[in-house]
Amino acid sequence: MKEKSSYQPALDVMNIVACIAVIAMHVNGAVWSFSYERYWLTSLIIECVCFWAVPVFFMISGATLLDYRTRYTTREYFQKRFGRTGVPFLFWSVVSIFWAVFVTHGLEPDVLKSAPLFLDAVLNTRGLSIYWFFPPLFALYLAVPFLSLIPQENRETACRYGIAASFATTACLPLLCSLTGIAYNSALNMPVNGGGMVIFLLIGYYVTHYPISKQIRCRVIYPMGVFGLLLRYFGTLIRSYSSGGVDGMFSGCDRFPCIVLAVAVFVWFWYHDWTFFTENKRAQKLLRTVSGASFGVYLTHFYIMRFLLDTFGFNMRSWEWRILGTAAVYLLAITATLLLKKIPGLRRLVP
């Protein structure tokens, strides 16, 4: 088992890299406009290579939250979750709705005059679709107190069973049915998998608390991750070329290709040697500062990306934008976040 210490830099490194991967996917928006031109082939590579990011965020939550009862009460747990994610979600949802009404014109002005329409826009993230991440995150937060009641001596077995059952019914069976033309009955999904996402809590906890031999990592987990990546890329490529539009059969966080890739990435980061950050206090402080800004970067980066595109007219299909644009958006977003964190009245909005 990986030796534990009070600080685990692997989680912060994953947090930062996953944040950059999310930005890369959004900068790479050209992938959703199918084309037989070469740019779409390279856009699809970026999409597939970076798609592990959101599941890894959920895995980090599993790794850090399922033992919360050893640190504070359930009441404190919900207070912390609401302060850290609930308040920013409500604020930035309102910002996104006004932005969609007055800037992008993606929403009709009537949404501001009707309470039900406004609430619908908040709950269904109609202002900015990238905020879809919040509802499943809140659902996972609700699941954590329940899962944390599993006795410590039973958790390894419970995690193994939960992961296996969820993986079979949510990730594998639906894909197999799609490939064979059989209608999948979603009632077969394991109920406690919560829409397909609880599996990531269990994986994150299991990987960070129980040993995985090098043989299993190198002979099973990493090859499966590569296989999932290739299946997603070539499966999407072949089906999209055949249909003349972007095919989503192999897409989705809860599908087989994404799960095995995300597990491989998470396991690699967890077992990599990051002792440099535990031995060098300056490096550790920098790592924690950058990681601590990731949530704020996620909340603000899309507005910065749209500003750059609308102001300078960059071509979203160009490799310069898809590569350099990712770096520019990330650097501007993290700078803005760190500045906002210094303002007492605003720091809670980019925790």
Side-chain angles (χ1 to χ4, degrees):
M1 183 174 185
K2 182 177 178 178
E3 184 178 342
K4 291 186 178 181
S5 66
S6 58
Y7 175 59
Q8 293 293 343
L11 297 178
D12 278 336
V13 176
M14 275 191 272
N15 183 297
I16 295 168
V17 179
C19 182
I20 295 173
V22 167
I23 293 177
M25 285 191 289
H26 293 157
V27 169
N28 186 52
V31 72
W32 300 111
S33 298
F34 176 76
S35 173
Y36 291 103
E37 297 179 35
R38 186 176 63 179
Y39 84 84
W40 191 78
L41 298 176
T42 56
S43 292
L44 185 59
I45 292 175
I46 295 174
E47 171 71 12
C48 294
V49 168
C50 295
F51 204 69
W52 53 267
V54 170
V56 162
F57 278 129
F58 291 148
M59 290 179 192
I60 292 173
S61 293
T64 58
L65 294 179
L66 287 186
D67 283 331
Y68 79 85
R69 292 179 187 274
T70 63
R71 303 188 298 274
Y72 38 74
T73 66
T74 297
R75 181 178 180 177
E76 291 172 318
Y77 162 80
F78 280 115
Q79 289 174 338
K80 289 176 180 292
R81 293 306 98 204
F82 180 75
R84 180 163 176 77
T85 58
V87 171
F89 168 69
L90 292 174
F91 175 81
W92 289 100
S93 291
V94 173
V95 170
S96 71
I97 291 169
F98 278 89
W99 184 71
V101 170
F102 296 108
V103 179
T104 67
H105 307 293
L107 287 176
E108 295 295 329
D110 289 346
V111 74
L112 302 177
K113 303 174 184 178
S114 167
L117 288 177
F118 191 85
L119 182 60
D120 172 78
V122 171
L123 293 178
N124 294 288
T125 63
R126 301 192 192 282
L128 192 58
S129 61
I130 70 163
Y131 290 163
W132 72 266
F133 172 80
F134 283 100
L137 179 66
F138 295 152
L140 291 181
Y141 285 164
L142 290 174
V144 165
F146 169 74
L147 295 172
S148 69
L149 290 172
I150 300 173
Q152 197 69 47
E153 62 270 20
N154 296 332
R155 285 196 182 177
E156 182 175 5
T157 301
C159 282
R160 284 183 176 181
Y161 174 78
I163 292 168
S166 299
F167 184 65
T169 61
T170 305
C172 298
L173 285 178
L175 182 58
L176 288 174
C177 286
S178 296
L179 291 172
T180 55
I182 299 173
Y184 178 68
N185 187 340
S186 60
L188 291 169
N189 286 349
M190 184 178 176
V192 297
N193 194 24
M197 299 300 179
V198 170
I199 187 175
F200 298 124
L201 291 181
L202 299 177
I203 292 171
Y205 186 84
Y206 186 89
V207 172
T208 56
H209 287 74
Y210 304 106
I212 301 176
S213 69
K214 185 175 182 180
Q215 184 178 32
I216 294 296
R217 282 180 273 141
C218 294
R219 295 187 179 182
V220 179
I221 295 177
Y222 299 148
M224 286 293 288
V226 173
F227 174 71
L229 174 62
L230 295 176
L231 177 63
R232 167 91 192 278
Y233 181 77
F234 288 106
T236 302
L237 180 68
I238 294 170
R239 292 180 63 87
S240 297
Y241 265 55
S242 176
S243 65
V246 180
D247 184 87
M249 176 179 288
F250 299 97
S251 301
C253 293
D254 59 347
R255 288 298 177 96
F256 171 88
C258 182
I259 291 179
V260 294
L261 173 61
V263 170
V265 171
F266 190 91
V267 169
W268 184 88
F269 274 105
W270 181 249
Y271 279 91
H272 188 73
D273 183 7
W274 303 106
T275 52
F276 170 76
F277 292 107
T278 58
E279 297 171 350
N280 187 314
K281 296 302 179 182
R282 287 186 177 182
Q284 182 181 138
K285 182 179 179 180
L286 177 61
L287 180 68
R288 296 181 109 164
T289 298
V290 175
S291 176
S294 290
F295 191 33
V297 170
Y298 168 74
L299 290 166
T300 60
H301 77 275
F302 200 86
Y303 303 103
I304 293 172
M305 183 187 78
R306 288 310 319 177
F307 172 79
L308 293 177
L309 285 170
D310 297 340
T311 303
F312 299 103
F314 293 118
N315 180 6
M316 291 187 69
R317 299 179 178 182
S318 69
W319 69 265
E320 292 91 347
W321 165 251
R322 286 179 286 142
I323 302 301
L324 301 179
T326 298
V329 170
Y330 178 74
L331 291 175
L332 289 171
I334 197 170
T335 299
T337 298
L338 292 175
L339 289 175
L340 288 172
K341 279 179 172 288
K342 294 182 179 295
I343 304 174
L346 299 179
R347 64 179 59 173
R348 289 190 65 192
L349 304 179
V350 286

